[in-house]
Amino acid sequence: MKGKLHVFAPLWVEFLAVRRALPHARVVHTGMGVARASAAAARVCASTAPDEPVAVAGFAGALRPGVRPGEIVVASEVRTPGGGPIPCPSAPLVANALRRRGFTVHVGPIVTVDEVVQGKAERAELAVSGALAVDMEAAAVLQHAGGRPVAVVRVIVDTPDRPLWHPGTLTGGAAALRALRQAAPALKDWSDSCRKRTLLLAGPRSFCAGVERAIGIVEGALAQYGAPVYVRKQIVHNLHVVRDLERRGAVFVDDTDEVPDGATLVFSAHGVSPAVRSEAQARDLSVLDATCPLVAKVHAEARRFAGRGDTVFFIGHAGHEEVEGTLGEAPESIRLVQTADDVAALDVPDPQRVSYLMQTTLAVDESATVVDALRARFPALRGPSSDDICYATTNRQAAIRRVATASDVVLVVGSANSSNSQRLVELAIRECGSAYLVEDESRIDLGWLANAQTVGLSAGASAPPALVDRVIVALSGLGRTDVNELVAATESVEFAAPKVAPRP
């Protein structure tokens, strides 16, 4: 059952704005300061159900120059100068609801103090700890919340460059009041999603052996050579992985002509065509090959099948880097087939000499449909000696199928350009009707969760496990969450990385 939302607003003007925007919530005027807020929260929390969500809404002062009047700070945690932090785990979900309403939102710590903060020096001292904003009530309220879901939404009124006594603050205050009134409904979205729920984790999920190997090659090159190390395309299809490596000195390029002569270049896990290899050699680049061994197997099969005179049907998605690399192994002999509908238009020199291969990250059931269509058209069709779809793709699809059949909604952590992540979403939609791909916890729409008692969770093979952990934490901030794992397979595959030789 969903509990009633309780919103604490310190000043009368804040109270009136929030009450107007949230007519069905219990909006409490606390009065200004720690003592008044603590007394009001103690009274309310002592007389309400222990699972009913508690929020603080109102104004705050910015501690950092980049946080401007009218913008919103959602507390990731609330601190007191002498006390420990009080976490607000669902802050990324609240922030997303506000951003969808058009607000500029910052997520970070808010510090609660006993007196109004005025001067730059005092703000700077508070900002040293990493806090984004300062108020006088949030910590006092949350200290009485117990295990309830909590949220703190503060609209910025004053900043280090425009303190409370600044002439422009009056205008900024009017804008902040409008923003508070318009932002408050996001708290209803948040409250509607607060409930006891079950979270089903698909096992296995996240990184596969090929992804770990590829990332390890870039990390090893950075450790041995130092920055910059150039990487052709994204090393794996995940934005978080790419950004992390960029911060450490990796430079991602679209093609080899962007790499300085003699520099170190890493080929991504998706593989490259022979033409790219030849170009790198001609440029005297020091190459490290992070191609997944299972992709390399498909390349070898493409060369072998084409070498014996076959027309090779490659089942995959146009434009994907793995597809481009494989097609480049024998462009005169390989035909791309994306769907079963493509089969009728195929024309080959010799129907008795045909074979097929697959992109390693396809959906198992859909690719089987294409193979069946090919066999019906070309009875002499031959395939690879072992499945091209990699073990990690197969295992993750089997796991998400188990999870999706028992879930109201499924979340898949992964980037939009990740083929294996997209296939997980498609499969989950077929099984439970509602599934979404999310880059991380900050992209989760609270509307997806409002009526979801059981949420399934998985991650593509290129998504870091830490991202899944962050989603679990954010969902747990919406109420008691029972986490269970459904394991479809146990993985023990490891791929050895090539040795990083000294740079010539």
Side-chain angles (χ1 to χ4, degrees):
M1 294 294 292
K2 299 175 184 177
K4 185 178 182 66
L5 170 62
H6 305 278
V7 184
F8 294 84
L11 302 179
W12 270 108
V13 67
E14 297 166 327
F15 166 75
L16 293 173
V18 174
R19 188 176 66 173
R20 178 180 174 184
L22 296 173
H24 300 294
R26 180 180 182 181
V27 183
V28 180
H29 172 233
T30 68
M32 183 175 174
V34 170
R36 292 185 178 89
S38 180
R43 183 175 63 254
V44 171
C45 292
S47 61
T48 59
D51 60 346
E52 293 182 341
V54 168
V56 179
F59 304 140
L63 297 177
R64 296 175 176 273
V67 184
R68 300 176 176 84
E71 297 179 348
I72 296 177
V73 174
V74 176
S76 59
E77 63 181 33
V78 177
R79 304 170 178 171
T80 60
I86 303 171
C88 304
S90 61
L93 311 182
V94 178
N96 187 40
L98 289 162
R99 290 188 182 107
R100 292 170 66 87
R101 285 175 162 78
F103 290 101
T104 298
V105 184
H106 307 269
V107 178
I110 289 178
V111 60
T112 296
V113 298
D114 291 328
E115 297 178 351
V116 174
V117 175
Q118 297 284 8
K120 281 189 177 182
E122 192 175 357
R123 290 178 193 258
E125 184 177 347
L126 292 171
V128 167
S129 67
L132 299 182
V134 59
D135 73 4
M136 298 177 62
E137 297 85 19
V141 172
L142 267 53
Q143 284 171 345
H144 294 280
R148 295 171 172 85
V150 294
V152 178
V153 174
R154 291 291 200 174
V155 181
I156 296 301
V157 174
D158 54 299
T159 69
D161 295 324
R162 183 178 287 187
L164 283 174
W165 62 81
H166 190 280
T169 302
L170 181 61
T171 303
L177 183 60
R178 288 193 300 272
L180 178 61
R181 190 179 302 120
Q182 295 165 1
L187 289 173
K188 182 181 185 303
D189 296 343
W190 170 74
S191 175
D192 286 346
S193 70
C194 290
R195 61 159 67 230
K196 177 184 175 182
R197 58 169 46 90
T198 298
L199 181 60
L200 298 180
L201 300 181
R205 60 189 174 275
S206 296
F207 280 172
C208 65
V211 166
E212 290 179 338
R213 175 181 180 272
I215 295 171
I217 288 171
V218 179
E219 291 174 334
L222 287 168
Q224 183 154 340
Y225 300 152
V229 167
Y230 293 85
V231 184
R232 186 182 183 277
K233 307 292 186 181
Q234 292 187 354
I235 184 66
V236 297
H237 285 160
N238 186 268
L239 187 59
H240 285 271
V241 171
V242 170
R243 286 177 175 170
D244 177 61
L245 292 173
E246 282 179 331
R247 286 191 292 268
R248 295 155 68 177
V251 178
F252 292 87
V253 298
D254 286 329
D255 218 332
T256 54
D257 59 8
E258 300 175 56
V259 182
D261 290 345
T264 298
L265 175 63
V266 180
F267 292 148
S268 78
H270 311 104
V272 298
S273 68
V276 172
R277 295 181 185 277
S278 298
E279 184 180 353
Q281 185 176 8
R283 297 278 313 288
D284 194 29
L285 301 178
S286 179
V287 171
L288 292 169
D289 191 355
T291 301
C292 174
L294 299 180
V295 174
K297 162 189 170 290
V298 176
H299 281 225
E301 289 171 331
R303 293 191 297 270
R304 179 165 62 89
F305 290 178
R308 71 190 183 194
D310 285 5
T311 297
V312 183
F313 304 123
F314 187 68
I315 305 170
H317 298 292
H320 191 279
E321 287 148 35
E322 181 183 335
V323 172
E324 292 177 348
T326 307
L327 295 178
E329 290 289 352
E332 70 287 348
S333 301
I334 304 179
R335 309 282 181 83
L336 178 63
V337 180
Q338 298 191 76
T339 68
D341 292 339
D342 295 341
V343 174
L346 294 174
D347 184 22
V348 299
D350 185 352
Q352 299 302 309
R353 302 184 68 84
V354 289
S355 54
Y356 76 89
L357 295 169
M358 294 185 189
Q359 183 180 334
T360 62
T361 54
L362 294 181
V364 175
D365 51 355
E366 289 187 333
S367 60
T369 301
V370 180
V371 173
D372 289 344
L374 286 170
R375 288 196 187 282
R377 175 85 192 281
F378 303 102
L381 184 75
R382 292 181 288 180
S385 57
S386 60
D387 288 341
D388 286 338
I389 296 178
C390 82
Y391 77 95
T393 297
T394 301
N395 290 345
R396 280 151 188 74
Q397 290 177 12
I400 205 167
R401 184 177 286 109
R402 289 189 60 189
V403 163
T405 56
S407 300
D408 300 311
V409 64
V410 175
L411 303 177
V412 176
V413 181
S415 292
N417 62 339
S418 168
S419 175
N420 73 88
S421 299
Q422 293 281 10
R423 304 294 81 75
L424 291 178
V425 174
E426 292 167 359
L427 192 155
I429 289 174
R430 293 199 297 272
E431 295 293 338
C432 86
S434 182
Y436 303 93
L437 181 67
V438 294
E439 189 76 54
D440 53 38
E441 74 282 9
S442 71
R443 306 299 178 89
I444 297 173
D445 186 336
L446 288 168
W448 304 337
L449 307 174
N451 297 308
Q453 191 166 347
T454 302
V455 176
L457 179 61
S458 186
S462 52
L467 295 181
V468 176
D469 295 338
R470 284 163 46 178
V471 170
I472 294 172
V473 169
L475 295 180
S476 71
L478 299 174
R480 178 181 166 184
T481 303
D482 296 326
V483 181
N484 300 310
E485 184 176 29
L486 299 183
V487 178
T490 301
E491 295 179 348
S492 59
V493 177
E494 295 182 1
F495 294 136
K499 294 181 179 179
V500 181
R503 180 184 282 162

